[in-house]
PDB file of all heavy atoms in Angstrom:
ATOM      1  N   GLU B 707     -21.500  20.067  10.642  1.00 95.00           N
ATOM      2  CA  GLU B 707     -21.252  19.700  12.104  1.00 95.00           C
ATOM      3  C   GLU B 707     -19.797  19.923  12.506  1.00 95.00           C
ATOM      4  O   GLU B 707     -18.954  19.274  11.879  1.00 95.00           O
ATOM      5  CB  GLU B 707     -21.667  18.192  12.354  1.00 95.00           C
ATOM      6  CG  GLU B 707     -23.153  17.882  12.088  1.00 95.00           C
ATOM      7  CD  GLU B 707     -23.352  17.363  10.723  1.00 95.00           C
ATOM      8  OE1 GLU B 707     -22.418  17.398   9.897  1.00 95.00           O
ATOM      9  OE2 GLU B 707     -24.458  16.944  10.362  1.00 95.00           O
ATOM     10  N   VAL B 710     -19.649  16.135  16.861  1.00 98.00           N
ATOM     11  CA  VAL B 710     -20.727  15.155  16.971  1.00 98.00           C
ATOM     12  C   VAL B 710     -20.520  14.249  18.173  1.00 98.00           C
ATOM     13  O   VAL B 710     -19.221  13.701  18.161  1.00 98.00           O
ATOM     14  CB  VAL B 710     -21.014  14.283  15.688  1.00 98.00           C
ATOM     15  CG1 VAL B 710     -21.922  13.256  15.885  1.00 98.00           C
ATOM     16  CG2 VAL B 710     -21.334  15.179  14.568  1.00 98.00           C
ATOM     17  N   ALA B 711     -21.372  14.065  19.055  1.00 98.00           N
ATOM     18  CA  ALA B 711     -21.227  13.097  20.184  1.00 98.00           C
ATOM     19  C   ALA B 711     -22.229  11.954  20.064  1.00 98.00           C
ATOM     20  O   ALA B 711     -23.394  12.239  19.961  1.00 98.00           O
ATOM     21  CB  ALA B 711     -21.286  13.765  21.473  1.00 98.00           C
ATOM     22  N   GLU B 715     -22.645   2.045  18.794  1.00 97.00           N
ATOM     23  CA  GLU B 715     -23.629   1.413  18.048  1.00 97.00           C
ATOM     24  C   GLU B 715     -24.722   2.419  17.473  1.00 97.00           C
ATOM     25  O   GLU B 715     -25.684   1.972  16.824  1.00 97.00           O
ATOM     26  CB  GLU B 715     -24.355   0.345  18.869  1.00 97.00           C
ATOM     27  CG  GLU B 715     -23.419  -0.822  19.324  1.00 97.00           C
ATOM     28  CD  GLU B 715     -24.123  -1.932  20.056  1.00 97.00           C
ATOM     29  OE1 GLU B 715     -25.428  -1.950  19.925  1.00 97.00           O
ATOM     30  OE2 GLU B 715     -23.425  -2.745  20.586  1.00 97.00           O
ATOM     31  N   PHE B 717     -26.053   5.350  14.863  1.00 98.00           N
ATOM     32  CA  PHE B 717     -25.841   5.648  13.484  1.00 98.00           C
ATOM     33  C   PHE B 717     -25.178   6.994  13.340  1.00 98.00           C
ATOM     34  O   PHE B 717     -25.544   7.942  13.986  1.00 98.00           O
ATOM     35  CB  PHE B 717     -27.179   5.635  12.714  1.00 98.00           C
ATOM     36  CG  PHE B 717     -27.108   5.711  11.277  1.00 98.00           C
ATOM     37  CD1 PHE B 717     -26.971   4.520  10.580  1.00 98.00           C
ATOM     38  CD2 PHE B 717     -27.035   6.831  10.658  1.00 98.00           C
ATOM     39  CE1 PHE B 717     -26.997   4.625   9.113  1.00 98.00           C
ATOM     40  CE2 PHE B 717     -26.995   7.012   9.220  1.00 98.00           C
ATOM     41  CZ  PHE B 717     -26.877   5.776   8.535  1.00 98.00           C
ATOM     42  N   ILE B 720     -22.352  12.511   8.919  1.00 98.00           N
ATOM     43  CA  ILE B 720     -21.642  13.769   8.882  1.00 98.00           C
ATOM     44  C   ILE B 720     -21.851  14.338   7.591  1.00 98.00           C
ATOM     45  O   ILE B 720     -21.625  13.754   6.580  1.00 98.00           O
ATOM     46  CB  ILE B 720     -20.078  13.576   9.186  1.00 98.00           C
ATOM     47  CG1 ILE B 720     -19.842  13.013  10.444  1.00 98.00           C
ATOM     48  CG2 ILE B 720     -19.406  14.941   8.992  1.00 98.00           C
ATOM     49  CD1 ILE B 720     -18.362  12.781  10.846  1.00 98.00           C
ATOM     50  N   ASN B 723     -21.168  19.218   1.959  1.00 98.00           N
ATOM     51  CA  ASN B 723     -21.728  19.806   0.747  1.00 98.00           C
ATOM     52  C   ASN B 723     -20.582  20.543   0.082  1.00 98.00           C
ATOM     53  O   ASN B 723     -19.663  21.142   0.830  1.00 98.00           O
ATOM     54  CB  ASN B 723     -22.889  20.763   1.035  1.00 98.00           C
ATOM     55  CG  ASN B 723     -24.123  19.991   1.350  1.00 98.00           C
ATOM     56  OD1 ASN B 723     -24.387  19.730   2.587  1.00 98.00           O
ATOM     57  ND2 ASN B 723     -24.914  19.664   0.285  1.00 98.00           N
ATOM     58  N   TYR B 724     -20.535  20.544  -1.258  1.00 97.00           N
ATOM     59  CA  TYR B 724     -19.518  21.189  -1.916  1.00 97.00           C
ATOM     60  C   TYR B 724     -19.933  22.113  -3.004  1.00 97.00           C
ATOM     61  O   TYR B 724     -21.133  22.136  -3.407  1.00 97.00           O
ATOM     62  CB  TYR B 724     -18.576  20.153  -2.614  1.00 97.00           C
ATOM     63  CG  TYR B 724     -19.298  19.360  -3.738  1.00 97.00           C
ATOM     64  CD1 TYR B 724     -19.107  19.824  -5.074  1.00 97.00           C
ATOM     65  CD2 TYR B 724     -20.009  18.254  -3.477  1.00 97.00           C
ATOM     66  CE1 TYR B 724     -19.712  19.209  -6.085  1.00 97.00           C
ATOM     67  CE2 TYR B 724     -20.593  17.495  -4.471  1.00 97.00           C
ATOM     68  CZ  TYR B 724     -20.447  18.046  -5.842  1.00 97.00           C
ATOM     69  OH  TYR B 724     -21.070  17.443  -6.860  1.00 97.00           O
ATOM     70  N   GLY B 728     -16.350  22.515 -11.749  1.00 80.00           N
ATOM     71  CA  GLY B 728     -16.162  21.303 -12.685  1.00 80.00           C
ATOM     72  C   GLY B 728     -16.734  20.006 -12.019  1.00 80.00           C
ATOM     73  O   GLY B 728     -17.755  20.108 -11.479  1.00 80.00           O
ATOM     74  N   PHE B 733     -13.439  13.194  -1.476  1.00 97.00           N
ATOM     75  CA  PHE B 733     -12.686  12.395  -0.557  1.00 97.00           C
ATOM     76  C   PHE B 733     -13.163  12.537   0.757  1.00 97.00           C
ATOM     77  O   PHE B 733     -13.638  13.515   1.277  1.00 97.00           O
ATOM     78  CB  PHE B 733     -11.215  12.772  -0.614  1.00 97.00           C
ATOM     79  CG  PHE B 733     -10.537  12.634  -1.938  1.00 97.00           C
ATOM     80  CD1 PHE B 733     -10.647  13.745  -2.781  1.00 97.00           C
ATOM     81  CD2 PHE B 733      -9.736  11.524  -2.237  1.00 97.00           C
ATOM     82  CE1 PHE B 733      -9.982  13.650  -4.102  1.00 97.00           C
ATOM     83  CE2 PHE B 733      -9.204  11.506  -3.507  1.00 97.00           C
ATOM     84  CZ  PHE B 733      -9.259  12.507  -4.396  1.00 97.00           C
ATOM     85  N   PRO B 739      -5.729  11.669  16.861  1.00 91.00           N
ATOM     86  CA  PRO B 739      -4.875  12.614  17.599  1.00 91.00           C
ATOM     87  C   PRO B 739      -3.411  12.259  17.411  1.00 91.00           C
ATOM     88  O   PRO B 739      -2.962  11.201  17.574  1.00 91.00           O
ATOM     89  CB  PRO B 739      -5.338  12.393  19.059  1.00 91.00           C
ATOM     90  CG  PRO B 739      -6.701  11.994  18.983  1.00 91.00           C
ATOM     91  CD  PRO B 739      -6.779  11.103  17.657  1.00 91.00           C
ATOM     92  N   LEU B 746      -9.666   7.666   3.617  1.00 97.00           N
ATOM     93  CA  LEU B 746     -10.708   6.694   3.924  1.00 97.00           C
ATOM     94  C   LEU B 746     -11.204   6.121   2.552  1.00 97.00           C
ATOM     95  O   LEU B 746     -11.094   4.924   2.310  1.00 97.00           O
ATOM     96  CB  LEU B 746     -11.927   7.333   4.633  1.00 97.00           C
ATOM     97  CG  LEU B 746     -12.035   7.050   6.117  1.00 97.00           C
ATOM     98  CD1 LEU B 746     -13.315   7.722   6.619  1.00 97.00           C
ATOM     99  CD2 LEU B 746     -12.050   5.583   6.477  1.00 97.00           C
ATOM    100  N   ASP B 766     -23.274  12.761  -4.827  1.00 97.00           N
ATOM    101  CA  ASP B 766     -24.648  13.202  -5.386  1.00 97.00           C
ATOM    102  C   ASP B 766     -24.429  14.635  -6.028  1.00 97.00           C
ATOM    103  O   ASP B 766     -24.341  15.583  -5.299  1.00 97.00           O
ATOM    104  CB  ASP B 766     -25.584  13.270  -4.221  1.00 97.00           C
ATOM    105  CG  ASP B 766     -26.996  13.473  -4.732  1.00 97.00           C
ATOM    106  OD1 ASP B 766     -27.189  14.152  -5.806  1.00 97.00           O
ATOM    107  OD2 ASP B 766     -27.923  13.006  -4.183  1.00 97.00           O
ATOM    108  N   HIS B 773     -22.178  12.994   1.860  1.00 98.00           N
ATOM    109  CA  HIS B 773     -22.339  12.707   3.356  1.00 98.00           C
ATOM    110  C   HIS B 773     -21.763  11.458   3.794  1.00 98.00           C
ATOM    111  O   HIS B 773     -21.983  10.371   3.179  1.00 98.00           O
ATOM    112  CB  HIS B 773     -23.832  12.810   3.765  1.00 98.00           C
ATOM    113  CG  HIS B 773     -24.572  13.967   3.269  1.00 98.00           C
ATOM    114  ND1 HIS B 773     -23.969  15.315   3.386  1.00 98.00           N
ATOM    115  CD2 HIS B 773     -25.744  14.173   2.716  1.00 98.00           C
ATOM    116  CE1 HIS B 773     -24.783  16.222   2.918  1.00 98.00           C
ATOM    117  NE2 HIS B 773     -26.002  15.544   2.507  1.00 98.00           N
ATOM    118  N   ALA B 777     -23.186   2.772  10.037  1.00 98.00           N
ATOM    119  CA  ALA B 777     -24.433   2.232  10.657  1.00 98.00           C
ATOM    120  C   ALA B 777     -24.255   2.088  12.209  1.00 98.00           C
ATOM    121  O   ALA B 777     -25.244   2.252  12.966  1.00 98.00           O
ATOM    122  CB  ALA B 777     -24.772   0.892  10.016  1.00 98.00           C
ATOM    123  N   SER B 778     -23.089   1.758  12.645  1.00 97.00           N
ATOM    124  CA  SER B 778     -22.848   1.431  14.026  1.00 97.00           C
ATOM    125  C   SER B 778     -21.498   1.890  14.491  1.00 97.00           C
ATOM    126  O   SER B 778     -20.493   1.181  14.023  1.00 97.00           O
ATOM    127  CB  SER B 778     -23.088  -0.017  14.305  1.00 97.00           C
ATOM    128  OG  SER B 778     -22.783  -0.323  15.676  1.00 97.00           O
ATOM    129  N   SER B 782     -13.489   3.526  19.003  1.00 97.00           N
ATOM    130  CA  SER B 782     -12.292   3.647  18.226  1.00 97.00           C
ATOM    131  C   SER B 782     -12.545   4.571  17.025  1.00 97.00           C
ATOM    132  O   SER B 782     -11.524   4.952  16.354  1.00 97.00           O
ATOM    133  CB  SER B 782     -11.739   2.309  17.812  1.00 97.00           C
ATOM    134  OG  SER B 782     -12.731   1.610  17.037  1.00 97.00           O
ATOM    135  N   VAL B 786     -11.290  13.114  13.967  1.00 97.00           N
ATOM    136  CA  VAL B 786     -11.800  14.242  13.127  1.00 97.00           C
ATOM    137  C   VAL B 786     -11.821  13.794  11.825  1.00 97.00           C
ATOM    138  O   VAL B 786     -10.933  13.088  11.257  1.00 97.00           O
ATOM    139  CB  VAL B 786     -10.810  15.480  13.302  1.00 97.00           C
ATOM    140  CG1 VAL B 786     -11.425  16.616  12.500  1.00 97.00           C
ATOM    141  CG2 VAL B 786     -10.585  15.891  14.778  1.00 97.00           C
ATOM    142  N   THR B 795     -10.735  21.189 -12.914  1.00 74.00           N
ATOM    143  CA  THR B 795     -10.488  22.130 -13.995  1.00 74.00           C
ATOM    144  C   THR B 795     -10.396  23.515 -13.463  1.00 74.00           C
ATOM    145  O   THR B 795     -11.318  24.024 -12.878  1.00 74.00           O
ATOM    146  CB  THR B 795     -11.563  22.082 -15.022  1.00 74.00           C
ATOM    147  OG1 THR B 795     -11.692  20.695 -15.524  1.00 74.00           O
ATOM    148  CG2 THR B 795     -11.194  22.937 -16.194  1.00 74.00           C
ATOM    149  N   ARG B 807     -15.465  16.773  14.369  1.00 97.00           N
ATOM    150  CA  ARG B 807     -14.919  16.024  15.501  1.00 97.00           C
ATOM    151  C   ARG B 807     -15.949  15.041  16.017  1.00 97.00           C
ATOM    152  O   ARG B 807     -16.940  15.505  16.510  1.00 97.00           O
ATOM    153  CB  ARG B 807     -14.379  16.902  16.644  1.00 97.00           C
ATOM    154  CG  ARG B 807     -13.623  16.116  17.843  1.00 97.00           C
ATOM    155  CD  ARG B 807     -13.128  17.153  18.742  1.00 97.00           C
ATOM    156  NE  ARG B 807     -12.076  17.971  18.247  1.00 97.00           N
ATOM    157  CZ  ARG B 807     -10.785  17.704  17.971  1.00 97.00           C
ATOM    158  NH1 ARG B 807     -10.304  16.473  18.445  1.00 97.00           N
ATOM    159  NH2 ARG B 807      -9.943  18.609  17.449  1.00 97.00           N
ATOM    160  N   VAL B 810     -17.151   9.225  20.309  1.00 98.00           N
ATOM    161  CA  VAL B 810     -18.056   8.130  20.607  1.00 98.00           C
ATOM    162  C   VAL B 810     -17.797   7.587  22.062  1.00 98.00           C
ATOM    163  O   VAL B 810     -16.647   7.362  22.482  1.00 98.00           O
ATOM    164  CB  VAL B 810     -17.883   6.964  19.628  1.00 98.00           C
ATOM    165  CG1 VAL B 810     -18.766   5.798  19.995  1.00 98.00           C
ATOM    166  CG2 VAL B 810     -17.994   7.457  18.212  1.00 98.00           C
TER     167      VAL B 810
END
Side-chain angles (χ1 to χ4, degrees):
Chain B
E707 298 93 353
V710 174
E715 300 183 14
F717 188 93
I720 296 178
N723 287 89
Y724 69 92
F733 301 83
L746 258 183
D766 191 328
H773 305 318
S778 176
S782 58
V786 181
T795 305
R807 183 176 299 277
V810 180

